[in-house]
Amino acid sequence: MFQIGGLIVFCGLLAHTTALLDTLPLPLDPTLLLEGTPAQDLSPTDLARSLTDALSTGLLSEGLLGILENLPLLNILKTGGGTSGGLLGGLLGKVTSVVPLLNKIIDMKITNPQLLELGLVQSPDGHRLYVTIPLGITLNVNTPLAGHLLKLAVKLNITAQVLAVKNEEGKIHLVLGDCTHSPGSLQISLLNGFAPLPVQGLVNGVSSILNQVLPGLVQGEVCPLVNEVLSQLDVTLVHSIADLLIHGLEFVIKV
C-alpha cells in the first residue's frame, strides 16, 4: 500500500511540474537575437543573396522609384539640353534637327518605374563585386500627331563596382567604385501597337534622345544612391563580405 500510495503522489507531482513547464516561454533562438544580420555559417549563395536583397531593399527605401519617375526628360527636350551645353546639348540639337517632330511633343512622363532583380558577379581575382541594377520604366509621350498616347517600355542596366577597404582606424567597409550604364543594355519598345508614319519617326526620335540622355541621368541619380545604401548596410553582412573580398576568396556562385 505504501509503495502504491507513493507512486500516486509521485505521478501527481510529475504532472504538475509538466504543466508548469508548458506555461514557460521557450528560450530564444540565438540567431533571432541578431535579426537582420546573416548567420555566420551562411553558404556562399546565401551570402550573395543577402547582399543583393539588402541593396534592393535599401534602394527602394531611399526613394529610387520616385527619382526615376521625376527625371526631367521633357525639360531637357524642350530646352535642347538646357544649360548643360557640351556633348549633351550638341547631341540633342542634332536629334531635334533631324527629327523636327520632336518639337511637337506636348508632354512626356515616366510612369511605372521598377527595380528589377539585381545581379551579382565577382571579379576573377575575387577582390571586387559587380552589381547589375536593372531598371524599367514606361514612358508616356503625348503629341497631336499620334492621335493617342504613345507608351514606350524602357529598360536599362546600371553596373556598380563594390570594393572592400579599411580606413585609417582599421575599420572595414564597402565602397562604390566605378558606376556606369552598361553599353547596349538600353532597350526601347512601343507598348500600344504599331506606329504609322510620321509617328514612327517621332518614336525613333524619342528613342534617340533616350539613348543619349537617360543613361547619364539615371547614372547621376542612381549611383550616389547606391553609395548611400552601401554605407547603411548591416555591419555583420559588411564584415562577412569584406573579409572574403580582402582575401580574394570566391563566394559568388549564383544569384
Side-chain angles (χ1 to χ4, degrees), residues 64-205:
L64 171 64
L65 301 186
I67 290 175
L68 293 178
E69 200 163 16
N70 290 292
L71 289 175
L73 294 179
L74 182 62
N75 290 340
I76 292 176
L77 171 63
K78 293 300 184 182
T79 58
T83 57
S84 60
L87 179 62
L88 180 59
L91 288 172
L92 286 174
K94 291 179 181 179
V95 172
T96 53
S97 63
V98 174
V99 189
L101 296 176
L102 293 177
N103 294 320
K104 298 185 180 298
I105 292 178
I106 298 174
D107 198 10
M108 182 186 294
K109 290 184 178 180
I110 292 176
T111 61
N112 193 31
Q114 297 178 28
L115 173 62
L116 306 177
E117 185 175 2
L118 272 62
L120 185 66
V121 295
Q122 194 169 0
S123 63
D125 62 9
H127 294 297
R128 295 180 300 279
L129 294 175
Y130 295 95
V131 182
T132 301
I133 306 171
L135 305 171
I137 62 173
T138 298
L139 185 64
N140 297 328
V141 182
N142 189 4
T143 174
L145 292 173
H148 62 276
L149 192 68
L150 294 178
K151 290 179 178 276
L152 300 176
V154 181
K155 293 183 179 179
L156 73 157
N157 293 337
I158 298 292
T159 301
Q161 183 187 73
V162 178
L163 308 169
V165 299
K166 287 184 178 180
N167 59 19
E168 296 179 352
E169 300 176 353
K171 294 182 179 179
I172 299 175
H173 55 285
L174 299 178
V175 298
L176 181 67
D178 293 334
C179 185
T180 60
H181 163 250
S182 302
S185 74
L186 186 61
Q187 302 176 13
I188 305 170
S189 59
L190 185 63
L191 289 177
N192 50 345
F194 296 95
L197 294 174
V199 175
Q200 185 60 54
L202 179 66
V203 173
N204 293 339

Side-chain angles (χ1 to χ4, degrees), residues 26-55:
L26 294 174
L28 288 175
D29 185 339
T31 60
L32 296 179
L33 296 178
L34 295 175
E35 185 177 2
T37 62
Q40 296 299 316
D41 58 350
L42 279 179
S43 69
T45 301
D46 290 338
L47 187 58
R49 175 62 66 185
S50 295
L51 176 59
T52 55
D53 287 348
L55 289 174

